[in-house]
Amino acid sequence: MKKPNIVILGAGYGGIMTAVKLQKSLGVNEANIKLVNKHSYHYQTTWLHENAAGTLHHDRTRIQIKDVIDTSKIDFIQDTVLSIQPDEKKVTLENTTLDYDYLVIGLGFEAETFGIPGLKEHAYGISNINSSRLIRQHIEYNFAKYNNIKDPGEELLNIVVGGAGFTGIEFVGELANRVPELCKEYDIPREKVRIINVEAAPTALPGFDPALVEYAMNSLESRGVEFKIGAMIKEVTPKGLVYEKDEERVEIPSNTVVWAAGVRGNSIVEESGFEAMRGRVKVREDMRTPDYDDVFVVGDCALIINEETDRPYPPTAQMAIQQADTVAHNVKVLARGEKELEPFEPNIQGTVASLGHDDAIGVVFNGKKLFGWSASVMKKVIDNRYLLKLGGIGLLLKKGKFNIFH
């Protein structure tokens, strides 16, 4: 009997966890498994805001795939996915073409610009290791430049963050910690630097508990973050950001605009003919696409509706890791020629948003609210638990966050 070919596209949270599960549950004689990823590493997307602010070195965020994948069981291919041909059961990569019997799509997210003029051209995004490094270097360059030019404009030291959702709030929290250090390093008075967070919704952290949102805003404002809430971003120009509030147009001069306000699934998913909304496939309960029995979707490209709220679950790392359990189980079942697929049932164990080194807010364990230091410790526990699950004690010791005071 021919061994089935299993191809996993993308080594984000969903893709790499599916691979790790399959290497434990399927024998080498049962299937040929290939994992395709553009880079030689997996990275912690939930730590990128720290890399962008310069509070955590990007090497801490990267995990080499060969450190968690057993290459005697899984063939790792470092290549870029160009397209998927589901009717022919083929995947076209930059350097080769793969055939599959079962495909797992975990291609991650892209920024959603909502058609705002100038956003793509003039704003920075926290989307991967390299884009985060660019933000850090760009901010440091502006600080270094400030005392070396005759008439530095305020745009050099105005850092504008579009979006006060999860990523935006976590990023301004890190900036609030980093800016005083940069001021000291580059001889700049702290009051010269502005961190401005612009959000179109009537509140920061939409959907979060109001008491926690209030705590977060107070904490950030006390460290110098300015909020523009209910402010619709109209345009990003080479000189700054334009927003509209109460029918008034306001321009903030800045050459550092960071967009943190929207993601969509990978455009390859739509271009390959899958039924998708903004790059996300509304999967069946067993995580397969509506129209193909041999294609699973995991992570940012999977759309799952929460029946209680009738809205999609946010595509978080927690969701992707849980989906990987179901996808790996179901792929194993099909590869063995069995029939019993299990449905995916999300078990949201809470959400914690970091506000800098030792401050955070969160809702955990059936609605228990956490503020401040205790929430910050919980955030580190969650991060460390993932590392343990992914690569065992060795990876945890190498990459974990142990200093709960920092």
Side-chain angles (χ1 to χ4, degrees):
M1 190 176 139
K2 175 181 162 288
K3 284 197 288 184
N5 289 328
I6 298 167
V7 175
I8 302 166
L9 302 180
Y13 290 104
I16 200 150
M17 283 306 295
T18 301
V20 165
K21 295 269 172 199
L22 284 173
Q23 77 184 6
K24 288 175 186 165
S25 63
L26 273 180
V28 184
N29 308 326
E30 292 184 279
N32 301 314
I33 307 174
K34 291 181 167 65
L35 171 65
V36 180
N37 197 56
K38 191 187 206 165
H39 303 293
S40 63
Y41 54 84
H42 158 75
Y43 55 87
Q44 292 259 54
T45 314
T46 57
W47 292 4
L48 289 176
H49 62 282
E50 296 175 66
N51 306 146
T55 51
L56 182 75
H57 194 276
H58 54 266
D59 282 342
R60 284 285 303 282
T61 302
R62 285 198 278 219
I63 296 163
Q64 291 300 319
I65 289 170
K66 63 178 176 9
D67 288 351
V68 290
I69 292 298
D70 181 343
T71 49
S72 67
K73 292 183 174 178
I74 293 183
D75 183 13
F76 170 56
I77 300 167
Q78 189 176 337
D79 206 338
T80 301
V81 179
L82 297 180
S83 64
I84 303 163
Q85 293 83 40
D87 293 325
E88 291 136 58
K89 295 164 88 80
K90 283 185 190 306
V91 178
T92 304
L93 309 180
E94 218 160 68
N95 300 303
T96 186
T97 303
L98 301 177
D99 296 304
Y100 66 82
D101 294 296
Y102 302 107
L103 180 67
V104 178
I105 300 172
L107 287 172
F109 69 87
E110 294 174 2
E112 175 64 273
T113 60
F114 304 110
I116 296 168
L119 194 65
K120 262 199 172 100
E121 297 78 12
H122 306 302
Y124 293 85
I126 307 175
S127 50
N128 54 45
I129 292 278
N130 290 324
S131 70
S132 302
R133 283 163 76 172
L134 184 61
I135 293 169
R136 188 198 79 223
Q137 288 167 352
H138 173 76
I139 290 171
E140 286 178 9
Y141 175 70
N142 284 336
F143 273 75
K145 203 169 158 184
Y146 187 79
N147 282 323
N148 286 302
I149 51 179
K150 201 171 178 187
D151 295 310
E154 58 181 311
E155 67 275 0
L156 269 186
L157 301 181
N158 281 354
I159 304 168
V160 183
V161 179
F166 222 78
T167 308
I169 288 292
E170 292 203 314
F171 180 52
V172 296
E174 294 301 318
L175 282 176
N177 284 104
R178 179 80 171 121
V179 161
E181 294 170 8
L182 288 171
C183 288
K184 204 169 162 188
E185 196 177 329
Y186 292 104
D187 304 319
I188 294 168
R190 172 62 186 90
E191 61 275 10
K192 295 272 187 203
V193 184
R194 292 175 72 195
I195 304 167
I196 305 151
N197 192 196
V198 184
E199 169 59 59
T203 168
L205 291 167
F208 235 72
D209 179 278
L212 293 177
V213 175
E214 190 181 348
Y215 173 88
M217 287 182 72
N218 288 340
S219 166
L220 294 168
E221 283 174 338
S222 73
R223 287 180 277 149
V225 177
E226 301 171 42
F227 287 99
K228 309 290 180 192
I229 302 292
M232 184 74 75
I233 297 173
K234 287 298 183 188
E235 189 183 355
V236 181
T237 70
K239 293 179 178 174
L241 176 140
V242 180
Y243 70 84
E244 194 173 277
K245 183 172 178 171
D246 304 328
E247 297 181 12
E248 185 192 351
R249 278 173 80 90
V250 181
E251 179 164 3
I252 306 170
S254 171
N255 64 1
T256 310
V257 175
V258 179
W259 177 244
V263 295
R264 43 163 292 137
N266 195 300
S267 47
I268 289 170
V269 173
E270 287 165 316
E271 289 156 11
S272 300
F274 294 103
E275 197 183 305
M277 288 174 272
R278 288 170 54 194
R280 301 177 72 196
V281 176
K282 194 174 176 184
V283 290
R284 290 182 256 175
E285 61 174 14
D286 58 20
M287 298 301 298
R288 291 188 290 182
T289 67
D291 29 12
Y292 294 95
D293 288 344
D294 48 17
V295 181
F296 291 84
V297 187
V298 68
D300 294 305
C301 297
L303 180 69
I304 295 173
I305 302 293
N306 180 342
E307 284 168 7
E308 286 175 27
T309 62
D310 211 27
R311 291 176 61 80
Y313 281 101
T316 59
Q318 180 181 185
M319 277 290 279
I321 294 160
Q322 290 182 15
Q323 289 165 4
D325 285 349
T326 303
V327 170
H329 172 84
N330 289 344
V331 168
K332 176 192 73 177
V333 164
L334 292 176
R336 288 183 174 159
E338 298 162 7
K339 294 279 182 281
E340 285 298 307
L341 300 191
E342 64 181 31
F344 170 64
E345 287 170 12
N347 173 23
I348 304 303
Q349 292 163 335
T351 311
V352 183
S354 158
L355 305 172
H357 301 321
D358 53 2
D359 200 5
I361 52 166
V363 178
V364 293
F365 313 127
N366 302 328
K368 180 175 167 52
K369 293 179 204 173
L370 295 179
F371 299 82
W373 184 73
S374 57
S376 185
V377 171
M378 180 56 73
K379 179 85 170 168
K380 292 179 174 78
V381 168
I382 293 165
D383 289 344
N384 288 345
R385 204 171 140 228
Y386 168 67
L387 291 168
L388 192 62
K389 196 171 178 179
L390 179 66
I393 196 80
L395 186 65
L396 173 61
L397 292 173
K398 198 169 166 185
K399 299 283 183 181
K401 290 186 173 178
F402 299 109
N403 184 350
I404 57 174
F405 296 100
H406 185 74

